[in-house]
Amino acid sequence: MEFVSSLAKSVFEKVNGELVEVSEIPGLKLYSCQQEIDLMPIVIQPSICFVLHCFVLQAKKRVSTGQQSFVYSEDSYLINSVTRPVEASLLDVSQERPYVGFSLAIDQQMVGQLMMEMSPWQKETSSQPQRDFTQATKMTKEIENVVTRLLGLLNNPMDREILAPSIFRELYYQVLKGPGGGLLRNCVSNHAGANRVAPVIHYIEQNFERNLAIEEIASVAGMSASTLHEHFKQVTTVSPMQYVKSLRLHKARSMLSSGYQVAEVCYEVGYSSPSQFSREFKRYFGFTPSEARSLATTIE
């Protein structure tokens, strides 16, 4: 599918071969890479992610979350509704066939407003349980059109300032109408299934560097510790406390790969003992925090 190929090439030139660049549009990140990356730990934020068509053979991106993997390319997009540690890979990438893409942070207030406006027409859909937090979804012509207009704003400051909010709103609207709409509703709602756990994950995201106790986390969900453990593990495949540790270590790996000092990272992600941090980091990733600082650039 010919998907905004000229815009994709301009994005690649703008990012200049670097892995990520925060654009002039708030919440929009641009990505490009000319080499494959295998299973790099990252912390993914609530966002909608796209791979752009740039060349005849196009790169793919894979996001793995425990027992699940999601692959998306030019004819699909990824929706992620909560902050979570994942393993990301870039596939079929080379200098002749680079990876080019972008992500848009989810504006919970804007999505919530749209949900209220759409509720008279989507009462049945909006009440359906949503069991997943991440999903790869097929691209539609409507979303392709919105994305084309969104990227077209990059080179015009006045257009960015005036038109970006309305185009974001239109993109959220098209996603909410589609099969991945439930994941956007996860960001602002508290329904059955995964939605019951979503507020807990948001709380952990905001407080993971503190000494969290299971009782405190359970109180956020309005459940007993044992009930939360059961629901949380059913959705995420790990316990709440395992999730806290995983989020800390993935955040630490990202910071180390960006050049932060080991001691600084240790305390920043919530460890009080550098030796404990080093032991748990090596047990989780297979190498020490110091070795992580010298590895290749991370995806973020």
Side-chain angles (χ1 to χ4, degrees), residues 45-74:
Q45 304 294 327
S47 54
I48 307 173
C49 309
F50 298 87
V51 174
L52 303 179
H53 176 82
C54 192
F55 297 88
V56 176
L57 298 175
Q58 185 55 42
K60 303 178 181 66
K61 187 170 183 178
R62 179 174 62 212
V63 171
S64 302
T65 60
Q67 299 176 349
Q68 294 179 300
S69 290
F70 307 91
V71 177
Y72 62 106
S73 58
E74 64 185 76

Side-chain angles (χ1 to χ4, degrees), residues 183-212:
L183 275 79
L184 282 188
R185 287 187 285 272
N186 271 355
C187 292
V188 294
S189 299
N190 187 19
H191 297 309
N195 293 353
R196 297 188 64 188
V197 177
V200 180
I201 292 186
H202 289 310
Y203 185 80
I204 293 174
E205 170 196 350
Q206 297 298 319
N207 297 277
F208 71 88
E209 75 284 354
R210 294 198 298 105
N211 186 24
L212 291 173

Side-chain angles (χ1 to χ4, degrees), residues 214-241:
I214 185 62
E215 292 77 15
E216 178 184 350
I217 298 173
S219 69
V220 173
M223 306 178 191
S224 67
S226 59
T227 301
L228 172 62
H229 186 280
E230 178 183 351
H231 283 283
F232 198 96
K233 193 166 186 177
Q234 184 179 31
V235 172
T236 67
T237 73
V238 296
S239 71
M241 301 314 295

Side-chain angles (χ1 to χ4, degrees), residues 115-146:
M115 287 169 54
M116 288 191 292
E117 296 176 26
M118 296 168 68
S119 60
W121 292 273
Q122 286 200 321
K123 289 180 180 179
E124 182 178 347
T125 302
S126 62
S127 64
Q128 291 176 354
Q130 179 65 52
R131 297 185 60 85
D132 295 324
F133 288 139
T134 306
Q135 179 178 313
T137 302
K138 186 175 178 58
M139 180 66 67
T140 66
K141 287 293 184 182
E142 292 78 11
I143 293 178
E144 179 181 335
N145 179 267
V146 177

Side-chain angles (χ1 to χ4, degrees), residues 40-41 249-262 265 277-278 281-282 285-298:
M40 177 64 72
L249 293 174
H250 277 76
K251 179 64 174 178
R253 172 72 183 275
S254 177
M255 292 179 67
L256 290 165
S257 298
S258 298
Y260 286 84
Q261 297 296 320
V262 173
V265 172
F277 169 61
S278 294
F281 190 96
K282 184 172 184 179
F285 293 118
F287 45 82
T288 67
S290 297
E291 291 169 336
R293 292 190 74 241
S294 63
L295 296 179
T297 305
T298 188

